[in-house]
C-alpha cells in the first residue's frame, strides 16, 4: 500500500508546462463544446456582431480621447517649459525668420525647428499666438497616437486588444498631461508609432518602396526632437525583425556555421534596412 501511495503521489507531480498544456487543451475543448450544434449562420452572425461592437468601441475610444485632450485646452495659462514653444513661435512671427529660433532675442537651438513650425501652423486655427495654439499640435498628435496604437495592437493581436491598448494609452496620466502640454514629446511618440505600424503592414515585403516612406516618417519625426526619431524606431524594428522567429532560431543562426553565413542571416532578417532603397 505504501508503494501505491508513493506512485500516486509522484503521478500527480507533473511539470508546470504539462499543466499549462492541459489547461489550454481543456479551454479549447470547452469552447468547442459550446459551439457544438450551433448553426454556421448563427456563428457568422455573432462574429459579425462582435466586429461591429469592437469597431464601435474603437470609435468610442477615439471620441473620448478627443474630448479628454481638447476640452478647455487653452483655458490654463502657460507654465514651465511651455513658454519656450510659445515665445519662440511668437518671435518667429515678429521677425519673419522661421529658421532662426530665438528667446528674448538670443538664439536657441536646443530643439529642432519642426515643433515650433507646428505651433505656427496652429495659429491659423486659434487666430493668434496664444495658449491654445501652443498646445494644439500636441493634442492632435496625442489623438493620432491613440489611433495608431489601436491599429498596431489590432494588427499584432486582435481587435479587442486594439481597443484595450488605445484605452490604456489614452488614459495614462503622463500621456494625457503631455498631450495637453506644449512640448515635442507626444509628437515624437506619434511619429515612432507611425513608423512601426508602417513596417508591420509591409513586413512581408521588406525591400519594397514603402521603405522610402519609412525613412521619411522617421526624418519628419526627428524634426521634433532630434535623432530619437531615427534611433528608437530602428532599434525596435531591428530587434523585432531579428528575434521574430524566437530566441532559439536566433541562437542557432549566429552560434554555428561560417561567419559569412551568420552575417547574411542577419542581413536577410533586416532587409528593410539593408537595401538600396534605404540609400535614397
Amino acid at each position: 500500500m505504501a508503494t501505491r501511495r508513493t506512485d500516486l503521489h509522484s503521478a500527480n507531480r507533473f511539470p508546470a508546462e504539462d499543466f499549462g498544456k492541459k489547461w489550454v487543451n481543456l479551454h479549447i475543448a470547452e469552447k468547442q463544446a459550446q459551439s457544438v450544434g450551433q448553426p454556421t449562420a448563427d456563428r457568422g452572425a455573432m462574429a459579425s456582431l462582435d466586429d461591429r461592437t469592437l469597431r464601435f468601441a474603437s470609435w468610442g475610444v477615439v471620441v473620448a480621447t478627443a474630448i479628454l485632450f481638447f476640452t478647455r485646452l487653452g483655458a490654463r495659462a502657460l507654465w514651465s517649459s511651455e513658454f519656450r514653444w510659445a515665445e519662440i513661435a511668437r518671435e518667429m512671427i515678429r521677425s519673419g525668420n522661421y529658421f532662426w529660433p530665438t528667446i528674448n532675442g538670443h538664439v536657441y537651438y536646443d530643439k529642432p525647428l519642426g515643433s515650433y513650425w507646428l505651433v505656427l501652423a496652429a495659429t491659423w486655427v486659434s487666430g493668434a499666438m496664444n495658449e491654445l495654439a501652443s498646445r494644439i499640435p500636441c493634442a492632435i498628435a496625442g489623438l493620432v497616437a491613440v489611433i495608431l496604437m489601436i491599429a498596431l495592437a489590432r494588427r499584432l493581436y486582435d481587435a479587442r486588444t486594439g481597443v484595450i491598448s488605445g484605452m490604456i494609452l489614452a488614459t495614462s496620466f503622463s500621456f494625457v498631461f503631455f498631450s495637453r502640454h506644449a512640448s515635442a514629446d507626444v509628437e515624437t511618440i506619434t511619429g515612432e508609432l507611425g513608423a512601426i505600424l508602417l513596417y508591420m503592414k509591409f513586413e512581408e515585403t521588406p525591400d519594397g518602396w514603402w521603405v522610402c516612406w519609412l525613412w521619411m516618417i522617421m526624418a519628419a519625426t526627428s524634426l521634433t526632437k532630434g535623432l530619437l526619431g531615427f534611433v528608437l524606431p530602428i532599434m525596435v524594428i531591428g530587434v523585432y525583425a531579428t528575434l521574430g522567429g524566437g530566441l532559439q532560431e536566433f541562437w542557432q543562426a549566429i552560434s554555428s556555421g561560417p561567419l559569412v553565413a551568420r552575417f547574411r542571416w542577419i542581413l536577410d532578417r533586416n532587409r528593410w534596412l539593408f537595401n538600396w532603397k534605404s540609400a535614397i
Side-chain angles (χ1 to χ4, degrees):
M1 294 295 291
T3 303
R4 182 179 180 184
R5 283 197 299 271
T6 300
D7 294 340
L8 290 174
H9 180 69
S10 61
N12 289 328
R13 298 178 61 186
F14 44 85
E17 57 269 18
D18 292 343
F19 174 78
K21 292 178 180 178
K22 290 184 178 181
W23 188 91
V24 171
N25 292 334
L26 179 61
H27 181 71
I28 294 174
E30 290 177 353
K31 289 294 185 181
Q32 292 176 345
Q34 292 175 1
S35 62
V36 170
Q38 187 176 16
T40 303
D42 292 346
R43 291 199 298 270
M46 290 181 63
S48 177
L49 180 62
D50 289 341
D51 289 341
R52 288 198 300 269
T53 302
L54 291 172
R55 193 177 300 111
F56 179 79
S58 298
W59 281 108
V61 171
V62 173
V63 172
T65 301
I67 294 173
L68 181 62
F69 288 179
F70 287 94
T71 301
R72 294 179 58 83
L73 185 61
R76 176 174 52 83
L78 296 174
W79 72 290
S80 186
S81 61
E82 285 188 307
F83 288 102
R84 180 195 311 167
W85 275 267
E87 181 60 19
I88 289 176
R90 187 183 73 84
E91 293 190 17
M92 282 183 173
I93 294 174
R94 290 186 60 185
S95 66
N97 192 341
Y98 301 106
F99 295 90
W100 194 257
T102 58
I103 295 180
N104 295 328
H106 299 285
V107 178
Y108 188 88
Y109 270 113
D110 186 62
K111 292 288 188 296
L113 296 171
S115 57
Y116 309 134
W117 289 343
L118 291 175
V119 173
L120 291 172
T123 60
W124 297 344
V125 177
S126 63
M129 183 59 246
N130 51 25
E131 292 85 353
L132 181 60
S134 328
R135 296 170 182 147
I136 282 178
C138 287
I140 294 176
L143 179 62
V144 175
V146 171
I147 296 173
L148 293 174
M149 176 60 73
I150 293 174
L152 182 61
R154 187 186 185 102
R155 176 167 291 273
L156 286 172
Y157 301 100
D158 52 38
R160 188 181 304 275
T161 306
V163 173
I164 295 173
S165 300
M167 188 182 304
I168 291 174
L169 180 62
T171 55
S172 297
F173 176 80
S174 293
F175 189 78
V176 175
F177 174 81
F178 283 104
S179 294
R180 296 179 57 88
H181 181 91
S183 67
D185 299 286
V186 177
E187 297 157 4
T188 304
I189 292 174
T190 303
E192 292 165 350
L193 284 174
I196 294 172
L197 179 61
L198 182 65
Y199 168 79
M200 295 303 304
K201 183 176 181 180
F202 296 99
E203 181 182 3
E204 301 300 327
T205 56
D207 58 347
W209 282 103
W210 64 270
V211 173
C212 296
W213 287 104
L214 177 64
W215 286 103
M216 290 177 65
I217 291 175
M218 292 191 290
T221 304
S222 69
L223 289 177
T224 62
K225 206 169 183 178
L227 291 178
L228 189 63
F230 283 104
V231 173
L232 194 56
I234 289 175
M235 288 179 58
V236 172
I237 296 173
V239 170
Y240 177 84
T242 304
L243 303 180
L247 289 174
Q248 183 176 2
E249 179 185 349
F250 170 74
W251 180 249
Q252 290 177 352
I254 67 169
S255 62
S256 61
L259 184 61
V260 175
R262 303 180 199 180
F263 186 67
R264 185 178 300 167
W265 184 87
I266 295 176
L267 288 180
D268 289 339
R269 297 306 297 263
N270 292 275
R271 185 61 60 187
W272 64 275
L273 179 61
F274 299 103
N275 71 81
W276 68 271
K277 297 184 182 68
S278 293
I280 297 179

